[in-house]
Amino acid sequence: MLVSTLFAQSAGKISGRVIDAETGTPLPGANVIVAELETGSATDLERNFAIRLIYLGKYTLKISYIGYA
């Protein structure tokens, strides 16, 4: 006899916008990475991004864009 237990976990998404902090200029094509999961997304032309199927928890986002340090 095989007994298996499954636990449901809620998954959500991380979403937002990436803009230059000083000028408010949108940064389309910026890379947004969830450091702990090594997954991410790039911003669209309106500077929005969405990373889906993320389990609840605390994460560190790393954002990179050519020309920014």
Side-chain angles (χ1 to χ4, degrees):
M1 176 188 288
L2 178 63
V3 177
S4 177
T5 304
L6 298 174
F7 296 98
Q9 294 187 353
S10 296
K13 73 176 180 177
I14 299 172
S15 62
R17 292 183 168 194
V18 179
I19 60 172
D20 182 290
E22 292 180 19
T23 66
T25 304
L27 300 176
N31 293 306
V32 182
I33 304 296
V34 180
E36 294 82 358
L37 303 177
E38 297 182 2
T39 188
S41 179
T43 56
D44 61 18
L45 293 176
E46 281 85 40
R47 69 194 179 265
N48 299 309
F49 72 92
I51 305 167
R52 301 182 191 288
L53 299 176
I54 302 295
Y55 291 108
L56 300 177
K58 293 183 180 182
Y59 298 104
T60 303
L61 297 181
K62 294 185 177 183
I63 295 143
S64 62
Y65 190 74
I66 295 174
Y68 283 76

